[in-house]
Amino acid sequence: MKSLGGIGSSRARSDATHDAVLVIPGIMGTRLVEAATGKVLWGMGKAAEYAGRWDLEGGMDALALSPAEREGEFGRVVPRGIIRTPSWAPLLGGVEPYDRLLKRLRNVVVHPDAIAEFGYDWRLPTEYNAQRLAQAVECHLAAWREHPQSRAARAFVPDGRPAGVVLIAHSMGGLVAAAASLIPGAMADVRAVLTLGSPFHGAVKAVQVLSEGRGLPGLPKENLRRLARTLPGIHDLLPSYRCLVVDDDVVALDAAAVESVGGDRELAQRSFDLHARLRTAVLPGHRIIQGTTQQTLQSLRISAGVAEFLSVGFSRHSDDTLVRHPGTGVPVMKDHKGDGTVFRYATSHGKVPTIAVAQQHTALPRTGSVIDIACGMLTGAAHDGSHLAGDELGLEVPDQVDVGVPFDILAQTRRHRNVTFTVEDPYAISPSRARMMGSSMARVRGQEDQWSARITLTSPGLYRVGASSGSDPVTRLVMAV
């Protein structure tokens, strides 16, 4: 856990909370280093370094779990805070930094020391990281309650209650928080939890990561698959809902099916057991941000050890049984969309209220309207999600492109408004430079509800591609190699 210290004075009581805040990133959102040498294994300064490592035979194998780690002897790799620069991995796409969220949160607490980040080794089992999170919550809150600014602020709290903790968790971070809630007493001082795109029912994308490299050309994908097969963290993201199409039915995955496409049977079974336990988890004051409108994998078929991935799901009755065609009995397919990584309803958890935001998964924590909702939860301001990101806009962009080769960006909007495309350098310090890079993009109208643009990236590296129709842009990171 890293504190974000500062020397600012206590803020006015009307626009700040006296509670502590803990930000929990998603998978690959924490910098990892080798304990013995200090060598950075994940969280390098430039995405080009990742591209180079993925292209080397065994270039990322240092992240794979060793036999000792598999037996629970952890410590070879240690977390070193939330990532500060955009990162990239094949199939998984980009990982955006959390700095924009952290910066805004500092404006609604009585002192920057109220905010801390919980970095964790996302390779390891979710329940191990949940134990560490429970300890981090206790330690951060104890330190904050003794802070002079916390003591001073308490005098202005109407009911005089001591400071609590608000958890803001992205992606896998929500699973870690849910697992921590199963630990007796771990959530006793947690006032509220906001989860952003957390796959409480898993994601078909995890199956794709485990299977896609097998027998296919392209070293980066094969390297990722070989690495992912050793990681409990990746397996803990496996879909637990009925997503496997078998003949004229849709069933849940089992460990044998995961193994047949390249996963680890034991880790898969542990994952399914974990998700069964998480169904009973209760997070205090829980609110859910769910990404919508983006093309997202929702189901799959398996034939002879080869997985076929589908960007459609299935309609269900209120009792969760499948809707079937009256004549044929075949399940009725329906595209529920999602955030590009997690399908929309896989982020749901019991009867917890949800707020729909049209955005890509990795960009949720840096989206203005999402950050507004997070700040509203802290201060008590309205946070009903009425100002949605993306204005129901869907964005389709390749994960990886070749330098000098044109490719298409496609945006779909239900409101038939003009769409503006941008391409920017995600490492640019000056926002004006980022806008300058996007200003040369032409707007090209396609079908009545679609806009497209064809662009060519002339230099290798990571780019942030965006589309906007008047509100928060929907963005996606793209690697040019």
Side-chain angles (χ1 to χ4, degrees):
M1 182 180 71
K2 181 179 178 182
S3 176
L4 301 170
I7 57 174
S9 60
S10 179
R11 298 180 185 277
R13 303 289 76 73
S14 61
D15 66 348
T17 177
H18 81 305
D19 288 321
V21 182
L22 204 57
V23 176
I24 313 169
I27 190 167
M28 294 188 163
T30 301
R31 189 169 176 261
L32 301 180
V33 303
E34 195 171 55
T37 65
K39 178 183 178 182
V40 178
L41 302 179
W42 182 260
M44 289 82 84
K46 286 283 188 177
E49 298 179 49
Y50 294 107
R53 289 198 188 184
W54 288 117
D55 282 327
L56 292 173
E57 181 67 46
M60 301 296 283
D61 283 351
L63 286 171
L65 252 64
S66 67
E69 288 175 308
R70 182 69 179 253
E71 295 301 318
E73 296 180 21
F74 305 138
R76 178 182 68 88
V77 176
V78 292
R80 284 291 183 266
I82 292 177
I83 63 167
R84 294 288 183 246
T85 57
S87 308
W88 180 84
L91 294 179
L92 290 169
V95 181
E96 292 277 16
Y98 294 82
D99 288 357
R100 180 179 289 187
L101 170 65
L102 292 165
K103 181 178 180 180
R104 282 283 305 278
L105 292 175
R106 294 186 195 111
N107 292 326
V108 294
V109 293
V110 297
H111 190 277
D113 287 346
I115 301 174
E117 55 188 52
F118 174 70
Y120 59 95
D121 187 346
W122 40 265
R123 306 171 311 130
L124 303 182
T126 296
E127 289 181 294
Y128 169 77
N129 286 316
Q131 295 171 1
R132 292 191 61 251
L133 173 61
Q135 296 167 359
V137 169
E138 181 179 0
C139 292
H140 179 49
L141 181 58
W144 172 241
R145 284 178 172 175
E146 293 301 315
H147 194 285
Q149 295 293 349
S150 175
R151 289 173 174 269
R154 186 173 176 180
F156 295 89
V157 178
D159 58 4
R161 67 174 178 86
V165 178
V166 175
L167 304 181
I168 300 176
H170 176 226
S171 190
M172 176 185 268
L175 299 188
V176 175
S181 74
L182 300 177
I183 301 172
M187 294 286 151
D189 292 309
V190 174
R191 177 171 71 81
V193 180
L194 178 66
T195 56
L196 316 178
S198 292
F200 291 108
H201 301 280
V204 170
K205 172 69 76 172
V207 185
Q208 185 185 38
V209 170
L210 289 167
S211 69
E212 195 82 343
R214 297 205 311 166
L216 296 177
L219 191 59
K221 288 183 179 180
E222 170 57 28
N223 284 345
L224 176 63
R225 189 197 70 82
R226 187 173 63 247
L227 166 63
R229 193 178 188 278
T230 74
L231 302 185
I234 290 288
H235 286 78
D236 282 349
L237 300 178
L238 286 167
S240 57
Y241 63 93
R242 285 180 289 169
C243 62
L244 178 62
V245 181
V246 179
D247 298 326
D248 63 347
D249 202 359
V250 184
V251 301
L253 282 172
D254 59 20
V258 174
E259 183 182 42
S260 74
V261 296
D264 182 283
R265 180 189 284 254
E266 180 184 355
L267 295 181
Q269 187 58 57
R270 289 181 184 177
S271 169
F272 295 137
D273 293 343
L274 167 67
H275 279 272
R277 291 192 293 275
L278 291 184
R279 294 191 190 104
T280 67
V282 177
L283 291 166
H286 191 191
R287 294 292 183 273
I288 293 172
I289 300 287
Q290 57 180 203
T292 63
T293 318
Q294 313 306 313
Q295 187 178 53
T296 306
L297 298 181
Q298 299 160 57
S299 59
L300 72 154
R301 294 187 180 94
I302 298 176
S303 178
V306 177
E308 175 193 359
F309 299 97
L310 308 174
S311 295
V312 291
F314 295 87
S315 297
R316 302 181 188 276
H317 294 292
S318 58
D319 62 356
D320 202 39
T321 58
L322 294 170
V323 176
R324 296 178 180 272
H325 288 288
T328 64
V330 174
V332 176
M333 287 188 170
K334 181 177 181 179
D335 186 359
H336 300 284
K337 301 290 186 181
D339 62 18
T341 298
V342 184
F343 112 93
R344 179 171 185 171
Y345 298 112
T347 64
S348 63
H349 190 64
K351 297 182 179 180
V352 175
T354 60
I355 303 170
V357 174
Q359 184 56 277
Q360 293 278 340
H361 182 76
T362 191
L364 284 169
R366 68 182 306 273
T367 299
S369 55
V370 173
I371 297 174
D372 288 343
I373 294 167
C375 292
M377 283 190 68
L378 291 171
T379 62
H383 55 272
D384 60 2
S386 58
H387 169 52
L388 298 182
D391 199 20
E392 299 185 19
L393 184 70
L395 175 66
E396 295 179 28
V397 183
D399 177 55
Q400 180 177 324
V401 300
D402 294 323
V403 171
V405 178
F407 67 96
D408 293 325
I409 306 171
L410 176 66
Q412 295 178 320
T413 174
R414 299 176 186 177
R415 298 180 183 273
H416 310 306
R417 293 178 178 174
N418 291 352
V419 174
T420 301
F421 294 103
T422 59
V423 177
E424 63 184 42
D425 176 1
Y427 300 103
I429 298 176
S430 169
S432 62
R433 170 164 170 72
R435 288 196 296 269
M436 178 188 71
M437 291 186 66
S439 64
S440 62
M441 294 297 300
R443 292 184 295 172
V444 181
R445 187 162 189 176
Q447 303 297 323
E448 187 168 345
D449 62 346
Q450 295 182 359
W451 288 71
S452 64
R454 173 162 290 189
I455 67 171
T456 303
L457 299 176
T458 58
S459 301
L462 196 65
Y463 295 83
R464 183 180 293 121
V465 176
S468 176
S469 59
S471 65
D472 285 334
V474 178
T475 64
R476 175 81 183 271
L477 292 172
V478 178
M479 175 64 77
V481 297

